Amino acid sequence: MPLAHLWSLTGWSALSLICLSLAVYFYVNRHGVRIRMQVRYGSPPVESIPLSETILGGVSAILTGIVLYQLAAGHGLALRLIWAVAGSALLVAAGFWAWAAIREFSSARSAATRHWRGQAADACRQIREWMEAPAVRVASCRALSEGLQTNDVRLFLRDERTFKAAYDTSGRDREPREYAPEAPLPKILDRLAPGEVFCFEDGGPRLAAPVAAGRALDGFFLVTGGPYTLPMQRYAGEIARETARALAVADLTAKQAEVRAASQIERRELENTRRALQHLVAPDLPTIAGLDYAAEYWRGDRPGGQFLDLIALPQGALGLVLADLPGFGLDAAIRMAQLQTLLRSRFWAYAEDLPELLQSTERALRASRPASGQVRVFLGRYQPGSRTLTYLNAGAMSPLLIRRGGEGAQVLRLPPTSPPMVSGSTEPVHTADLVLESGDLLSAFNAGLVEAFDAAGEAWGEGRLIQTMLAWETQRAADLVSLTLRTVEEHTAHNLSSPDRAMILLKAV
C-alpha cells in the first residue's frame, strides 16, 4: 500500500475516532444541543433528541465507511460498497448499543445521586433545626447511622489538647475514646477539604469525615461498615460539613446567651446598687459665716465605693467626709451606707476628737462584718469663729490648698496624718490644723477625679485641677465644682465606665 494512501487512511480513521469520542463526551456530560419534537399540536412532547451527538455519530459512521471503502481497494466496486455500508451499519449498531448502555449507566448514576442528595438535604435540614450543641451531635450521628445503614457512628470533637468522643450511636464505652492531634487519622483529615471523606481499612471498612468550620480541624466522624459508594461518601461529607456549621452556630448562640444572661445580671445588680445608693443621706448645706463651699460627685455605670458628706455640727461648725471603700456594685453601696451612718452618728459625739471618731468607727466596722479591704477617709471639722480646719487624713488623696500671696499663687498639700482604716496598722492617729485666709481655695477629691483617662490613656491629673481652679477662682464654689467635673467629663469623652469622681471645695471669703 502506498505511503500516501496509508496516511490518508490514518487521517480518516483519526477524524472518525475524534467525532465518535466527542459524541460520547457530549452525551455523558450533557453539553450537547438537544431538540424536542411533537407529533401533533397539543400532544405531549417526546423525549429530547441529542442533536449534536447524533450528527457527530453519523459523521463518524460515514468516515468509517470511507476508510473501509479504501481498505477494500483491489476488489470490485460492488464488494467495496457492500463492505463500506456493512461496516458503517455495524458501527452504527454498536454505537446505538453503547449509547443505550451509557444512557442506562448515566440514568442509574443520576438517580442514585439525586437520591443521596435528597437524603443529605433532608438530614441537613433536620440538623439545622437544633440550636444546642448536644442536640446537634445526636442529630448528626443519627443521620449518618440511618442514612448509611450502620449502628456504629462515633463523633470526636476537639477538647483542649485531644479529640474526645462526644457521641456514640452504639452506646458502648469502648476504645479509643480520644485521638491526639498528631495521630495519623487526624493529620490525614486535617488536609482534606470540607465535604471530603477518607475511607480506609482497620479490621473492616471504615469511613472518616472531617468536621471543620474553618481551616482547623474541629472534630471528625468515624463510621464502621461499608463499603460505601461515591454518592454515600458525598452524603457523609455533606452531613459532616453541616454538622460543623451547626456546631459553630450553637456555640455562638450559647455565647450570646451567656452574654445576655450576664448583661441581665449586671443590669439587675446596677438597679439594686442605685436603689442602695438612694439610702445615702444628702450632704447638709448650712450657711457658714465667711465660707463659700460646695460638694458634688459623679457616678458612672459601675458605681464604686466613693462618697462624700457634709455634716452640720453644733456652734455653726461643719463636718467634712470624703471616703473611699474598695470594691464596686451592691456590696460597696451597702458598706457606704453603713459607713455614712456610723460617721454621722459619731460626728455629733466626737466632733472635738477626730482620732476617737475614726477609731470608734473602725471598731464598729470590724464588729459588724469581716474586713474587705482598707478604707481611706478624709475627716475634717471647720470652726467659722477661728476659720480653722482641723483634719485627719487616713490614707486618702492629699487635698490641695491654693493660696494667693505677694509672689503669686502657692499650692500646698495636706498629707496623710494616719494609716487607713481597717488596715491593721498600729501607727498613732494624728490630726492637723489649717487656718484659712481670705481667698484660699481648699479642694478635697478622690483618685477618680485626677485619674480620669482620655481615649489616649492620658490622666486628667492634678495639674489640670490646679489650672481649672485658678482660671475660675472668682466663680462661686458650687459653680467652680460643677465646671471642674464637667471638664473632667469632657476629657474622658463622656465615658460612663470611668471611676466615680467626688470633690469638696472650701472657699474662704
Side-chain angles (χ1 to χ4, degrees):
M1 181 179 294
L3 183 61
H5 189 60
L6 182 61
W7 278 111
S8 175
L9 289 176
T10 304
W12 288 113
S13 300
L15 189 59
S16 174
L17 184 60
I18 290 173
C19 291
L20 183 61
S21 300
L22 288 174
V24 173
Y25 174 78
F26 285 159
Y27 182 77
V28 172
N29 294 277
R30 301 184 181 276
H31 291 323
V33 179
R34 294 174 175 268
I35 61 172
R36 289 184 179 273
M37 300 180 61
Q38 288 182 313
V39 178
R40 63 179 184 277
Y41 179 75
S43 63
V46 298
E47 186 177 356
S48 61
I49 299 175
L51 181 61
S52 56
E53 294 92 324
T54 303
I55 294 175
L56 289 171
V59 171
S60 177
I62 293 172
L63 294 175
T64 302
I66 294 174
V67 172
L68 293 174
Y69 181 82
Q70 292 184 357
L71 285 174
H75 297 280
L77 177 62
L79 182 60
R80 294 176 70 183
L81 290 176
I82 292 173
W83 177 252
V85 172
S88 299
L90 182 61
L91 178 63
V92 170
F96 273 109
W97 177 83
W99 185 1
I102 293 173
R103 180 180 178 184
E104 182 178 356
F105 171 76
S106 179
S107 298
R109 190 181 69 172
S110 299
T113 300
R114 287 194 299 271
H115 167 75
W116 285 105
R117 282 180 180 173
Q119 289 282 91
D122 292 340
C124 290
R125 186 166 50 251
Q126 294 177 5
I127 294 173
R128 281 193 296 269
E129 292 178 354
W130 300 102
M131 301 300 293
E132 298 178 352
V136 171
R137 295 195 290 263
V138 174
S140 58
C141 288
R142 287 181 177 175
L144 282 176
S145 176
E146 294 172 1
L148 300 180
Q149 299 296 311
T150 177
N151 62 352
D152 193 349
V153 178
R154 284 185 287 174
L155 173 61
F156 292 83
L157 293 177
R158 184 184 292 273
D159 182 12
E160 296 180 357
R161 299 181 180 179
T162 62
F163 293 97
K164 292 187 177 180
Y167 190 77
D168 190 338
T169 56
S170 67
R172 301 192 303 270
D173 187 10
R174 51 189 173 148
E175 298 295 335
R177 297 297 300 171
E178 61 182 35
Y179 283 86
E182 59 273 10
L185 182 58
K187 292 179 66 175
I188 293 174
L189 296 177
D190 195 28
R191 294 194 293 266
L192 297 181
E196 295 183 350
V197 299
F198 173 60
C199 296
F200 61 101
E201 291 283 340
D202 185 12
R206 295 195 178 190
L207 179 147
V211 176
R215 294 183 178 179
L217 184 66
D218 300 321
F220 57 90
F221 288 100
L222 187 58
V223 185
T224 302
Y228 299 111
T229 62
L230 182 59
M232 298 170 75
Q233 295 177 25
R234 291 175 177 170
Y235 170 83
E238 285 299 319
I239 296 299
R241 181 154 49 181
E242 186 60 40
T243 301
R245 288 194 290 258
L247 288 175
V249 171
D251 183 59
L252 179 60
T253 303
K255 290 181 179 178
Q256 291 176 342
E258 292 177 0
V259 171
R260 286 195 297 269
S263 178
Q264 292 176 357
I265 293 174
E266 289 179 359
R267 283 199 299 270
R268 285 196 296 268
E269 183 175 357
L270 181 58
E271 292 173 358
N272 294 333
T273 301
R274 295 194 184 281
R275 281 196 290 267
L277 290 174
Q278 294 176 359
H279 293 283
L280 290 174
V281 180
D284 299 334
L285 298 174
T287 301
I288 306 295
L291 184 68
D292 183 16
Y293 66 95
E296 189 174 340
Y297 54 80
W298 176 92
R299 299 192 189 279
D301 286 341
R302 290 192 67 204
Q306 296 80 27
F307 78 97
L308 56 80
D309 200 6
L310 299 175
I311 306 168
L313 299 175
Q315 302 176 356
L318 180 67
L320 288 76
V321 177
L322 185 63
D324 187 354
L325 291 84
F328 296 89
L330 182 59
D331 184 64
I334 294 174
R335 287 188 288 115
M336 277 192 291
Q338 180 190 28
L339 179 59
Q340 186 189 46
T341 301
L342 293 174
L343 288 173
R344 275 187 164 260
S345 64
R346 281 159 175 73
F347 245 108
W348 282 81
Y350 303 109
E352 301 294 332
D353 188 356
L354 293 182
E356 179 58 29
L357 187 154
L358 181 75
Q359 293 169 352
S360 174
T361 304
E362 182 175 2
R363 289 193 295 269
L365 284 176
R366 290 182 180 276
S368 62
R369 59 189 303 163
S372 56
Q374 298 180 356
V375 178
R376 304 178 185 276
V377 61
F378 176 83
L379 303 177
R381 182 186 73 253
Y382 179 74
Q383 292 285 359
S386 61
R387 307 188 72 168
T388 301
L389 175 67
T390 302
Y391 66 90
L392 184 156
N393 187 352
M397 294 289 293
S398 297
L400 296 178
L401 173 67
I402 299 179
R403 173 170 291 172
R404 288 287 185 178
E407 299 180 356
Q410 291 182 330
V411 179
L412 305 175
R413 298 177 185 275
L414 278 59
T417 61
S418 307
M421 295 174 60
V422 201
S423 63
S425 175
T426 58
E427 295 182 16
V429 178
H430 299 289
T431 61
D433 293 328
L434 174 66
V435 178
L436 296 182
E437 299 177 2
S438 180
D440 284 353
L441 290 174
L442 177 65
S443 59
F445 49 89
N446 71 335
L449 185 79
V450 293
E451 295 177 2
F453 295 96
D454 61 6
E458 182 181 1
W460 193 63
E462 289 186 355
R464 287 190 176 92
L465 173 61
I466 295 170
Q467 292 174 3
T468 301
M469 290 195 296
L470 289 175
W472 293 329
E473 61 180 331
T474 58
Q475 301 288 332
R476 295 173 51 249
D479 295 335
L480 183 51
V481 172
S482 297
L483 288 170
T484 301
L485 291 179
R486 190 185 309 167
T487 303
V488 178
E489 188 173 0
E490 292 173 355
H491 177 77
T492 63
H494 307 278
N495 185 4
L496 296 179
S497 62
S498 298
D500 295 351
R501 301 185 278 271
M503 181 178 179
I504 299 175
L505 180 65
L506 303 183
K507 182 178 181 181
V509 295

